[in-house]
Amino acid sequence: MRRDPALSAVNPLPQSERRFMSGNEAVARGAWEAGCRVAAAYPGTPATEILEYAATYADLYSEWSVNEKVALEVTIGASLAGSRALCAMKHVGLNVASDALMTQTLIGVGGGLVVAVADDVGLSSSQNEQDSRHWGRFAHLPVLEPADAQEAYEMTREAFALSEQFDTPVILRLTTRICHVKGVVVAGEREERPVKGFQKNPARMVMTPMNAGRRIPLMLAREAQLRAFAEVTDLNRIEDGQDKRVGFVTSGPTYLHVLEAFPEAPLVKLGFSYPPPLGLIRALAEQVEQLVVVEEVEPLLEQEIRAAGIPVLGKDLLPRMGELAPHILRPVIRAFLGEPAALEPTPKRPLAFTTPVQVFPRPPTMCVACPHLGIYYCLSKIKNTQIAGDIGCYTLGAGHPWNALDTCISMGASMGVALGLDKGRSEADKDKRVLAVIGDSTFLHMGMQGLLDIVYNRGNVTILLLDNSAVGMTGGQEHPGTGRDIHGLEAPKINFRKLVEALGVKPERVHEVNPYELPVLFKALREEVKVEDTSVIITNQPCVLTERYRNKPPYAVDEEKCTGCSNCLAVGCPAIAVTRRETVVKPNGTVKELTFVAIDSAACTGCDLCPGTCGPEAILPLAVFDRAGARP
């Protein structure tokens, strides 16, 4: 059975066609045309759609891997087997995959191997802002940086060719702007390439210290060849301009930002940004009064250019974080030139895309009827807790009204952090209960190892494994716990209860509960946090945005029964809204504020959470109000 195409699937692109594409779609298209045979990824914004588009090509094997390291290992194997292979991930994923990457840079490739990594410049949906260009320098690998969707397509094709020409993995560095902004792409046709097959060569592929030591000089020689290539490739070029007061060094999307902000200035456009073409940059420096490097996040090029003895400015003028869009660049450079330079407002979105009605500002929150709502409602009611959270939708449990997370570090870190909180607790915290909260996909990604460590070291931790049968935060992708593969076809399904028992959790300490049944969930939580042992509570209801979720009849509020207690607001469901507030004085003289609410029945899915919090039973099925007589 295939997934609902409205969720994430896309239609395959006909051959030889101009089409409006995002950068992610263009990368997938370029890989397919280049004869790529294997593609693997773990979903992560802003790179997720690369694999979703790749999966639409029937002659390109694609898979959701359990994490980025595994995804890279799968594509390394395919490459060594002689097939061209593509691995995709977001910036933090390359940290996970780096162990394999740092060895593969010594081994080289069979078929071309391209690592597409997308940096979330500006932190739209990430726990940090990173510059993946560092990995090119760290691993001595070439880095390509497209400036738009057309270049994303072309450079993906070029990256495979360079990978085989120089016997090296190639990093294709994208940013959110490249991944998600669409442009016209002129695509071509698939190139059928013969698969060379696996060539046994233990001295090259078995990285014992002796063999690795022999490969390092080869890697450094390759880097020298790449440095020479950077000076002559068409991927790098000088574009002349009339205004010689400032010349710019750009790479990736900053090329277009500079072009828009200072169309008369000469510049170097770097598509092949590592190793940097210092000769080309020096040539531009000799033509202008001042050279400025415009690079997003880290001053990597700036430092290398300065180290080469070329006078240059960069981060001493420009911000170290966020995009360097024209409204950021113009006032800074004009002030440097001594021109009037008033700060420019952040550009508004085009009128056609603006929201017609101004809505009240509100913080990010979970979806209506999200199965995590009841869990955080219960956690917010349990006192004396220290709760280690993880990466996913459920990170929102740190916010209002639950305030039910104390840490969130990285994928799978909740396990180890919770054990650390347990083992490192002081006398002041001896009575605190330690919990960890992790999602199903995150648990498979990097959480299993942490749970094994908790069990092995006899941790006193209660783990909430929130199984919503999806990688919810990135759009509901499949994983080994859903029973479906990337195409929506049936696949072996992991049983979480058996899995955690296999990792050593005692069977009597494992509970499966329906998170919409608040009394059952609350009872399980209260009992397990008192047990001085490792325990796991698995919740088992699907993400509301997937086809697995089933709506039930919606609810409404009986205004005459509502007492204004506001208990239902503690659930945090966005379908519940405050309609009015009243301040009353009780008979004993105390002042109390009452908050009356209504339910948006069009959004309500009838999940049964809020009726369980309503003492006066004022929350009733909407059908009761629709019938004659209106109110029971």
Side-chain angles (χ1 to χ4, degrees), residues 445-507:
H445 178 280
M446 277 291 170
M448 291 188 292
Q449 301 91 330
L451 176 58
L452 181 62
D453 198 58
I454 292 173
V455 172
Y456 179 64
N457 292 294
R458 304 174 187 85
N460 180 10
V461 178
T462 301
I463 294 117
L464 286 129
L465 203 173
L466 312 187
D467 178 10
N468 64 0
S469 297
V471 189
M473 195 168 192
T474 49
Q477 288 78 20
E478 311 291 349
H479 62 66
T482 68
R484 303 274 182 83
D485 66 13
I486 191 171
H487 304 289
L489 302 174
E490 288 191 12
K493 182 177 181 179
I494 293 299
N495 182 309
F496 281 105
R497 170 182 278 274
K498 291 183 178 178
L499 179 57
V500 300
E501 289 181 6
L503 291 170
V505 182
K506 298 170 185 172

Side-chain angles (χ1 to χ4, degrees), residues 20-313:
F20 210 44
M21 282 186 183
S22 68
N24 282 340
E25 183 177 6
V27 170
R29 175 71 183 197
W32 176 76
E33 286 190 16
C36 178
R37 292 170 53 87
V38 173
Y42 180 81
T45 303
T48 303
E49 297 84 4
I50 293 176
L51 250 288
E52 292 186 327
Y53 283 111
T56 64
Y57 298 106
D59 44 4
L60 170 54
Y61 169 81
S62 53
E63 69 164 47
W64 289 130
S65 303
V66 293
N67 63 40
E68 298 82 0
K69 179 173 178 287
V70 172
L72 180 56
E73 290 162 348
V74 168
T75 54
I76 286 173
S79 170
L80 295 179
S83 293
R84 288 187 166 184
L86 172 75
C87 183
M89 60 194 71
K90 67 181 298 181
H91 62 286
V92 289
L94 194 48
N95 302 339
V96 180
S98 61
D99 199 17
L101 182 72
M102 294 302 289
T103 301
Q104 197 59 30
T105 185
L106 296 175
I107 293 174
V109 302
L113 176 59
V114 176
V115 181
V117 55
D119 287 359
D120 188 5
V121 175
L123 300 114
S124 65
S125 176
S126 302
Q127 65 268 42
N128 62 43
E129 186 181 53
Q130 257 174 237
D131 193 330
S132 294
R133 296 177 303 160
H134 272 297
W135 289 105
R137 287 143 175 91
F138 194 13
H140 307 277
L141 299 178
V143 177
L144 302 188
E145 292 190 70
D148 56 24
Q150 179 68 40
E151 285 196 352
Y153 157 77
E154 293 172 354
M155 287 190 186
T156 301
R157 295 195 58 156
E158 183 71 17
F160 281 105
L162 292 175
S163 174
E164 292 171 1
Q165 179 182 347
F166 291 99
D167 190 19
T168 176
V170 174
I171 293 175
L172 182 71
R173 191 247 187 170
L174 310 164
T175 66
T176 303
R177 183 163 294 273
I178 302 300
C179 292
H180 290 165
V181 172
K182 289 194 171 185
V184 174
V185 174
V186 181
E189 298 181 356
R190 180 170 169 83
E191 173 187 358
E192 295 298 341
R193 300 182 59 81
V195 178
K196 292 179 285 189
F198 181 74
Q199 305 294 320
K200 286 190 176 183
N201 188 348
R204 173 187 171 193
M205 299 182 191
V206 180
M207 285 297 97
T208 59
M210 180 179 293
N211 289 338
R214 290 170 177 157
R215 297 292 298 180
I216 289 175
L218 299 176
M219 177 187 70
L220 297 178
R222 177 189 71 201
E223 189 173 39
Q225 295 170 1
L226 291 167
R227 197 173 296 279
F229 176 78
E231 300 286 354
V232 299
T233 175
D234 292 339
L235 295 169
N236 298 328
R237 63 176 183 265
I238 291 178
E239 294 187 4
D240 200 10
Q242 298 298 317
D243 187 352
K244 304 290 187 184
R245 292 178 297 169
V246 175
F248 295 96
V249 179
T250 68
S251 65
T254 65
Y255 164 70
L256 294 176
H257 294 327
V258 169
L259 208 61
E260 180 178 340
F262 300 97
E264 299 301 322
L267 58 83
V268 168
K269 181 191 184 304
L270 300 180
F272 188 102
S273 68
Y274 186 80
L278 294 174
L280 197 70
I281 294 168
R282 189 185 303 277
L284 176 66
E286 292 172 352
Q287 300 174 25
V288 299
E289 296 177 19
Q290 181 63 55
L291 192 65
V292 175
V293 178
V294 182
E295 54 187 331
E296 290 174 338
V297 190
E298 299 287 349
L300 301 182
L301 287 167
E302 177 186 341
Q303 291 172 355
E304 289 161 345
I305 294 169
R306 189 169 289 143
I310 304 171
V312 68
L313 294 173

Side-chain angles (χ1 to χ4, degrees), residues 365-388:
T365 189
M366 296 182 201
C367 300
V368 171
C370 173
H372 303 335
L373 293 173
I375 296 156
Y376 284 111
Y377 173 81
C378 292
L379 287 174
S380 69
K381 302 298 181 186
I382 295 180
K383 307 301 179 186
N384 293 322
T385 60
Q386 295 172 337
I387 306 175

Side-chain angles (χ1 to χ4, degrees), residues 92 95 126-128 130 387-392 394-395 405-418 421 437 442:
V92 289
N95 302 339
S126 302
Q127 65 268 42
N128 62 43
Q130 257 174 237
I387 306 175
D390 225 299
I391 304 294
Y394 42 89
T395 309
L405 285 185
D406 296 308
T407 69
C408 180
I409 309 296
S410 60
M411 293 285 279
S414 60
M415 301 287 109
V417 170
L421 290 172
V437 182
T442 309

